[in-house]
Amino acid sequence: MAGRIKILVVDDEIIVRESLIGWLKKGGYQVDSAEGGRQALGIIDEREYDLVFLDIMMPGVSGLEVLKELKGRYPQTLVVMITAYGSVETAVEAMKNGANDYLMKPFEPEQLTLLVEKLLQQKKILDENALLREQVASRSRYQDLVGASACMQKLFNLIEEVAAVDAPVLLRGATGTGKELVAKAIHAKGPRRFGPFIPINCGAFPENLLESELFGHEMGSFTGATRAKKGRLEIAQGGTLFLDEIGEIPLKMQVDLLRVLEQKVFHRVGGTGSIPLDFRLISATHRDLAKEIEQGRFRQDFYFRLNVIELEIPTLKERGEDIPLLAQHFLDRFRRETNKPVAGIEAAALDLLGSYAWPGNVRELENAMERAVVLAKGRYLNKRDFAFLFRGEAPDMPFSLEEMERNHIGQILKQCGWNISRAAQLLEINRTTLHNKIKKYELRPSK
Ligand SMILES: Nc1ncnc2c1ncn2[C@@H]1O[C@H](COP(=O)(O)OP(=O)(O)OP(=O)(O)O)[C@@H](O)[C@H]1O
Ligand SMILES: [Mg+2]
């Protein structure tokens, strides 16, 4: 492994250069060196370096200038600035310009080894995440739908076929599986895509309101109808009507809707003028309609009218291989929205997400990613960032709450330079409690 890693050392001081080269070669890495910025810029194009050690203070072309050039040409290459005690501020400046870390002179071989291992580990995560990102951007995406699994690829093909014909479609799938996104994709791919996409959640209205929501009403048609209103059937003209939660429609409404769909005309509540139907119909339910029919809660004739074409949307658990892709997709979105510097997800965290049951399907994963990004402490999401998923499932919990608390407090203390008052404030506990926790967890400042 180490033998394939290419490292470049750039420093004008021969002693620093030679010792770095010596130690790194001992670690089994391939090492090249340059005596200054100009020479460095000349050789970075010869081989793609994984890691570059770059002295900040050099005569001629400075370390900062090399950094900018290097990151411009090879953004994946890791850069560690070498700095003297007096120039920490410049190092901070360099970090802002994309340097990944810095090393202060003088340093010990152990320090170097740890740093290199840490950075290479990060690079591995970044490379893996870049691969996922590429997949999200490519054939694993259809409209807004992400999915590389065979069942999703099959669904994408079906959507493509179904979109071309005008027949009613019934979407079946558990909560949060993406029924509405699929409906939108069908609309966006079909001949009515320039018309409106009008959703209505049939479960959200009491019976009398649902009627006027769907068909509209004329002024004065019932108490409170102070003006005429168009219904969703009318607004959807030329486009697509999406009847969501179709299983919640009361039986009497089912009769009315069935008649309208058969006669292809309707009129507003309290109105007489007939309006022709001109939309594509997509409906959706998480219920098993066959069972609803058996139990007399759903009309069979209405069902036959709705499900000329039926699409089944798989649960997230049935397509576990899509979890890393979706996680990456949501990570990218929430990072953009929150501006949090979260660079990626550790492989162990992805494994953990794969082991979870996801009763809320993609919506639950979306919410979990948002929460993890918002609360993230580090640059990479790890297992602990998803611990909340397993609360209340103690037997399956892969790490203890105590361990989490210990880490959290340790991190805050480090961040505050062990200023107890400040840390207590950040943790929102009092100083005595903090002292007790420090004792309990045997925390102490690291050197
Ligand atoms: N394949 C997917 N790729 C990307 N995002 C998805 C995918 N499937 C669902 N989502 C997202 O998950 C969330 C839930 O999707 P949607 O509302 O379409 O599900 P639903 O099946 O209609 O859920 P419900 O039954 O609760 O109404 C949305 O934010 C949607 O953008
Ligand atoms: Mg929905």
Side-chain angles (χ1 to χ4, degrees):
M1 164 70 192
R4 277 183 283 130
I5 305 288
K6 296 177 291 264
I7 301 182
L8 175 65
V9 174
V10 188
D11 200 310
D12 58 320
E13 281 175 78
I14 182 153
I15 300 183
V16 179
R17 214 166 52 230
E18 300 277 278
S19 55
L20 263 174
I21 295 172
W23 290 334
L24 289 168
K25 283 201 166 151
K26 227 186 256 170
Y29 304 109
Q30 297 179 34
V31 194
D32 295 333
S33 66
E35 293 171 18
R38 194 169 306 280
Q39 194 191 356
L41 287 178
I43 59 175
I44 53 172
D45 290 323
E46 281 169 27
R47 353 172 44 179
E48 202 172 317
Y49 290 100
D50 297 290
L51 176 57
V52 176
F53 283 93
L54 194 53
D55 188 18
I56 289 189
M57 279 332 177
M58 291 183 294
V61 180
S62 78
L64 275 182
E65 286 167 88
V66 178
L67 171 69
K68 283 181 198 158
E69 193 60 35
L70 183 64
K71 281 286 176 180
R73 283 188 231 170
Y74 304 100
Q76 306 279 26
T77 298
L78 298 169
V79 181
V80 174
M81 306 307 291
I82 305 175
T83 152
Y85 180 67
S87 56
V88 175
E89 268 161 33
T90 329
V92 172
E93 178 70 27
M95 301 284 282
K96 282 193 198 135
N97 279 294
N100 298 81
D101 218 323
Y102 66 90
L103 199 56
M104 204 181 295
K105 288 187 277 196
F107 42 81
E108 301 293 320
E110 298 82 53
Q111 218 180 326
L112 182 71
T113 315
L114 280 177
L115 180 65
V116 171
E117 276 168 12
K118 181 186 96 180
L119 286 171
L120 291 177
Q121 176 63 24
Q122 286 183 2
K123 185 165 161 56
K124 201 172 134 233
I125 297 173
L126 275 182
D127 290 348
E128 283 165 4
N129 280 269
L131 193 72
L132 280 173
R133 218 165 265 152
E134 236 164 68
Q135 284 183 22
V136 171
S138 68
R139 62 199 148 67
S140 320
R141 177 164 203 151
Y142 182 80
Q143 299 284 318
D144 288 332
L145 292 158
V146 172
S149 54
C151 52
M152 284 306 275
Q153 293 289 319
K154 206 169 109 194
L155 181 65
F156 297 166
N157 289 331
L158 281 171
I159 292 174
E160 192 81 16
E161 284 172 30
V162 163
V165 293
D166 220 27
V169 180
L170 175 65
L171 304 175
R172 299 212 308 122
T175 175
T177 45
K179 294 185 289 295
E180 184 149 356
L181 271 194
V182 170
K184 282 184 181 153
I186 295 173
H187 170 72
K189 282 289 178 170
R192 294 175 179 273
R193 63 180 165 281
F194 298 115
F197 175 87
I198 305 296
I200 173 166
N201 183 343
C202 303
F205 300 92
E207 188 159 355
N208 55 338
L209 279 187
L210 180 60
E211 187 181 23
S212 94
E213 271 304 317
L214 285 170
F215 302 113
H217 59 250
E218 296 297 350
M219 193 170 88
S221 55
F222 53 85
T223 358
T226 51
R227 62 182 65 166
K229 187 183 148 180
K230 277 188 186 179
R232 309 275 170 116
L233 268 65
E234 207 171 329
I235 304 172
Q237 300 286 38
T240 299
L241 179 69
F242 177 50
L243 292 179
D244 204 357
E245 307 295 356
I246 193 90
E248 317 308 309
I249 297 191
L251 282 164
K252 147 115 192 8
M253 252 346 265
Q254 295 179 24
V255 179
D256 293 348
L257 265 174
L258 175 62
R259 194 176 48 237
V260 163
L261 293 176
E262 278 175 346
Q263 297 176 350
K264 303 213 182 306
V265 287
F266 67 99
H267 50 81
R268 293 181 183 174
V269 175
T272 46
S274 34
I275 308 167
L277 280 198
D278 176 26
F279 51 74
R280 155 162 231 167
L281 181 64
I282 303 179
S283 41
T285 181
H286 65 277
R287 291 188 190 275
D288 178 353
L289 289 183
K291 206 188 253 164
E292 298 292 302
I293 292 168
E294 231 169 72
Q295 301 184 342
R297 282 195 295 265
F298 206 84
R299 293 185 59 103
Q300 187 159 41
D301 46 6
F302 187 43
Y303 173 71
F304 286 146
R305 178 55 61 173
L306 295 175
N307 91 328
V308 176
I309 302 168
E310 186 168 319
L311 294 186
E312 175 91 32
I313 306 173
T315 62
L316 190 53
K317 207 60 196 167
E318 286 171 281
R319 51 191 187 102
E321 56 197 290
D322 287 340
I323 293 174
L325 283 186
L326 283 161
Q328 183 70 53
H329 167 69
F330 293 129
L331 172 81
D332 287 343
R333 200 173 95 206
F334 294 123
R335 183 193 27 224
R336 271 197 308 275
E337 286 176 11
T338 60
N339 269 322
K340 289 234 3 184
V342 178
I345 317 176
E346 288 186 4
L350 287 175
D351 286 347
L352 187 71
L353 293 182
S355 73
Y356 182 65
W358 301 112
N361 293 294
V362 186
R363 177 177 296 109
E364 187 181 7
L365 176 59
E366 183 176 11
N367 294 340
M369 289 309 296
E370 177 168 24
R371 179 170 169 163
V373 169
V374 168
L375 298 179
K377 295 278 183 299
R379 273 170 61 72
Y380 300 92
L381 297 182
N382 58 38
K383 289 202 294 187
R384 280 177 196 84
D385 291 316
F386 295 100
F388 61 87
L389 286 172
F390 295 86
R391 290 224 174 103
E393 284 185 29
D396 277 335
M397 206 161 76
F399 34 76
S400 74
L401 285 174
E402 290 210 322
E403 194 191 332
M404 281 172 57
E405 187 180 47
R406 182 181 194 278
N407 279 315
H408 184 55
I409 295 178
Q411 213 159 17
I412 296 283
L413 282 165
K414 203 167 137 197
Q415 205 176 306
C416 305
W418 278 75
N419 178 331
I420 300 292
S421 305
R422 178 91 192 97
Q425 210 179 355
L426 278 180
L427 290 161
E428 296 180 80
I429 54 179
N430 64 38
R431 296 171 35 124
T432 318
T433 313
L434 180 54
H435 275 298
N436 289 339
K437 300 260 182 207
I438 291 172
K439 220 189 298 151
K440 173 176 168 198
Y441 293 129
E442 302 178 326
L443 292 163
R444 53 184 67 94
S446 53
K447 279 171 274 157

